[in-house]
Amino acid sequence: MEQDLLIEQFKAGRLAAFKELHTRYAPNICGVIHTILRNRERAEELTQDVFVKIWDYRASYDASKGRFFTWVLNIARNAAIDELRPKSHKEQQLNLHTTFFVDMAEEQEEQTFGVDMNHVKGLIRGLGKKCHQIIELLYFKGLTQKESSDYLDIPLGTVKTRVRNCISRLRKNLVD
């Protein structure tokens, strides 16, 4: 079934569409969650929770704001990070690097993500050390801007400026 039609049917509450999306995406979502949690059993449980959540909030998905998989991936990443926060595992999270996520995505290749992961890897590397570092802390490790400021020992305003500049550069590079 074509992706756009499948998503429309999912948003309309059709269970068959939901099952198909689950079949397509659950292994990849579980992989992302497992990379963050480093616990296969809990990753599988949380994957199911994520799919219940996307079913409950299916009406909030807006294709004009991004791809469906990205929407699901963000929900999964946030759920995994939330899972760690109450257990005070932030220090363990600081050992994760963006390369884990890019390498994991590379394993799935274009069939799942629809992008050239070598290109994405190059874009991330091309941002420079400061951008790479701040994106890693905020988007892959789940730290807040304040926590990133403390971790890097730089002013909060500097973190905010870097984030804005780095994301802007990444967007420009994606368009080019």
Side-chain angles (χ1 to χ4, degrees), residues 4-104:
D4 293 338
L5 178 60
L6 186 62
I7 292 168
E8 282 179 37
Q9 290 180 355
F10 164 73
K11 285 184 71 172
R14 301 238 168 105
L15 224 57
F18 175 70
K19 288 178 184 177
E20 177 63 26
L21 289 169
H22 183 275
T23 300
R24 288 184 185 186
Y25 295 124
N28 298 314
I29 295 302
C30 187
V32 169
I33 293 171
H34 179 259
T35 300
I36 295 170
L37 297 181
R38 299 178 189 225
N39 178 324
R40 176 57 65 184
E41 185 178 301
R42 187 59 193 129
E44 290 170 359
E45 292 171 5
L46 197 55
T47 298
Q48 297 311 311
D49 294 346
V50 166
F51 276 88
V52 168
K53 191 173 200 172
I54 68 164
W55 176 257
D56 291 342
Y57 293 98
R58 65 188 178 276
S60 70
Y61 169 68
D62 183 356
S64 69
K65 293 183 179 179
R67 295 179 49 202
F68 180 78
F69 184 76
T70 305
W71 180 69
V72 176
L73 187 64
N74 282 330
I75 292 170
R77 184 185 66 83
N78 291 340
I81 290 168
D82 288 346
E83 179 76 11
L84 290 178
R85 281 192 173 144
K87 296 177 183 174
S88 301
H89 283 108
K90 284 184 186 173
E91 287 303 314
Q92 183 181 16
Q93 275 301 93
L94 294 175
N95 295 326
L96 291 178
H97 300 286
T98 53
T99 53
F100 289 141
F101 295 94
V102 175
D103 289 345
M104 183 191 62

Side-chain angles (χ1 to χ4, degrees), residues 101-115:
F101 295 94
V102 175
D103 289 345
M104 183 191 62
E106 204 168 55
E107 289 174 12
Q108 300 301 320
E109 226 22 69
E110 294 182 16
Q111 70 208 25
T112 303
F113 291 90
V115 297

Side-chain angles (χ1 to χ4, degrees), residues 128-138 151-152 162:
K129 183 181 177 184
K130 288 180 181 178
C131 284
H132 187 266
Q133 186 178 44
I134 201 74
I135 288 171
E136 191 169 283
L137 290 173
L138 293 170
Y151 180 77
L152 296 171
R162 278 188 194 168

Side-chain angles (χ1 to χ4, degrees), residues 152-166:
L152 296 171
D153 196 27
I154 59 175
L156 180 59
T158 302
V159 169
K160 291 179 179 191
T161 300
R162 278 188 194 168
V163 170
R164 186 177 60 249
N165 292 340
C166 295

